[in-house]
Amino acid sequence: MGTPSPSRRTDRVLEDAALKVSKAEEALQAYRAQHAIAADKRRQLEEENEKLRQTILSKALQHANPDLRREHAQLRQTLDSFQSKIDQMREISLISARVVDSRIKTKQGRQYVEYKLQIETDIRGTLVLWHRYSTFLNLAATLKAKNPHAEHQIPELQTQSLTGFFSDQLILDRIAKLNEFLDVVTKADEFQWGIRVDKDTVVYKRKSKRGSSGSERMDRSSSGGSRESIALASSVRDSLFISPSRESMMTSGL
């Protein structure tokens, strides 16, 4: 038999490669399915273990003397208090921020626009608050002043006032520019800022630095990472924290 032509050899190589890719994809799908089953089983076991622990504790307390039950209640109250303090001390980190809606308000006979800012956080879920356009302008000005080397990265925001004139298209255009601005200042490593949600809640966007291993870490050093060094985008009276489950009750200060 003669030697296969180059085109035949190429076809065979491609067929072998396609077969290997197909087998690899099948193996990957099988692994993912097994991983999902294992994760679901682990979750079920953890839930069953917690239920069993609670059942044992409940039965033990039922047969315990009053002093022991009272001591357990006091310990639980103390533990809950400590956990609450720990949660309050944990810094809330910003994951993303986006304007998702707008509304027209009236103050002293004059109308103005407020923008609904939706913030995703690491430990508090979704926070929703309303701000006037000037809040975003102030944040942009502060970031430019504190980061002159990166000022060119910050999208320009229109400074023209919309008081008394609100076309739908103009508001939509402004929302688009605000989201372009927020996308940059929340993702760029060099920008650091925070926004106050209520008197007890501030969400922080920290600077990111790359260590020697190349992995990112948040800058919390005393030189540039202290809470006091971050410019807050609003005061307490600018807005109130609104739980997502109570969004229909949203209100804000003026």
Side-chain angles (χ1 to χ4, degrees):
M1 295 180 63
T3 303
S5 65
S7 61
R8 291 291 301 275
R9 289 198 298 269
T10 301
D11 291 342
R12 288 180 181 177
V13 170
L14 292 176
E15 289 175 0
D16 291 342
L19 182 60
K20 290 179 180 178
V21 169
S22 178
K23 290 182 177 179
E25 289 177 346
E26 291 177 359
L28 178 60
Q29 291 177 359
Y31 168 78
R32 287 175 174 172
Q34 293 173 0
H35 182 271
I37 293 173
D40 187 59
K41 186 64 175 179
R42 177 180 177 180
R43 179 184 57 78
Q44 292 178 6
L45 290 174
E46 289 176 346
E47 291 177 353
E48 292 174 0
N49 181 64
E50 179 61 22
K51 289 179 181 178
L52 181 60
R53 190 183 71 83
Q54 292 293 341
T55 299
I56 293 174
L57 178 61
S58 177
K59 290 185 178 298
L61 289 175
Q62 288 177 6
H63 296 86
N65 61 56
D67 290 339
L68 185 59
R69 289 199 296 268
R70 185 164 49 252
E71 182 180 357
H72 174 268
Q74 291 174 347
L75 288 174
R76 169 54 62 183
Q77 185 177 7
T78 301
L79 179 61
D80 291 343
S81 177
F82 282 139
Q83 186 61 51
S84 177
K85 291 179 180 179
I86 291 173
D87 291 341
Q88 291 178 4
M89 292 175 64
R90 286 188 63 188
E91 183 173 290
I92 306 172
S93 295
L94 183 146
I95 297 175
S96 66
R98 185 171 182 81
V99 174
V100 296
D101 200 359
S102 65
R103 66 184 179 187
I104 297 176
K105 300 281 288 184
T106 302
K107 181 181 180 181
Q108 297 178 348
R110 300 186 65 184
Q111 291 184 324
Y112 59 90
V113 181
E114 283 188 338
Y115 298 89
K116 181 180 177 182
L117 181 63
Q118 181 173 294
I119 300 174
E120 300 295 335
T121 70
D122 59 340
I123 60 175
R124 291 286 294 274
T126 302
L127 307 183
V128 177
L129 51 156
W130 292 87
H131 277 299
R132 296 184 66 170
Y133 190 71
S134 57
T135 298
F136 301 97
L137 289 177
N138 291 338
L139 175 59
T142 300
L143 290 175
K144 289 180 179 180
K146 290 183 174 293
N147 304 275
H149 61 286
E151 180 178 352
H152 64 281
Q153 298 183 32
I154 302 175
E156 289 294 331
L157 296 178
Q158 299 175 357
T159 57
Q160 180 183 2
S161 174
L162 294 185
T163 303
F165 175 71
F166 318 107
S167 72
D168 291 341
Q169 188 58 51
L170 192 59
I171 293 176
L172 289 175
D173 290 344
R174 182 157 283 189
I175 289 176
K177 291 297 294 184
L178 285 174
N179 283 329
E180 180 185 352
F181 164 75
L182 290 169
D183 187 61
V184 170
V185 300
T186 56
K187 292 181 179 179
D189 294 342
E190 57 267 40
F191 297 134
Q192 177 165 280
W193 52 281
I195 187 165
R196 183 172 293 283
V197 178
D198 59 27
K199 65 183 182 66
D200 298 317
T201 307
V202 180
V203 180
Y204 294 94
K205 189 278 178 186
R206 294 289 186 179
K207 291 182 180 179
S208 295
K209 288 186 176 181
R210 293 190 176 275
S212 57
S213 63
S215 60
E216 290 189 3
R217 63 181 179 85
M218 301 306 291
D219 179 11
R220 302 177 188 274
S221 63
S222 58
S223 61
S226 65
R227 297 190 180 193
E228 291 76 10
S229 68
I230 296 183
L232 298 181
S234 65
S235 64
V236 175
R237 64 188 178 87
D238 281 335
S239 58
L240 300 176
F241 162 66
I242 304 300
S243 171
S245 62
R246 299 173 56 198
E247 190 167 333
S248 60
M249 300 172 62
M250 279 188 294
T251 181
S252 67
L254 300 177

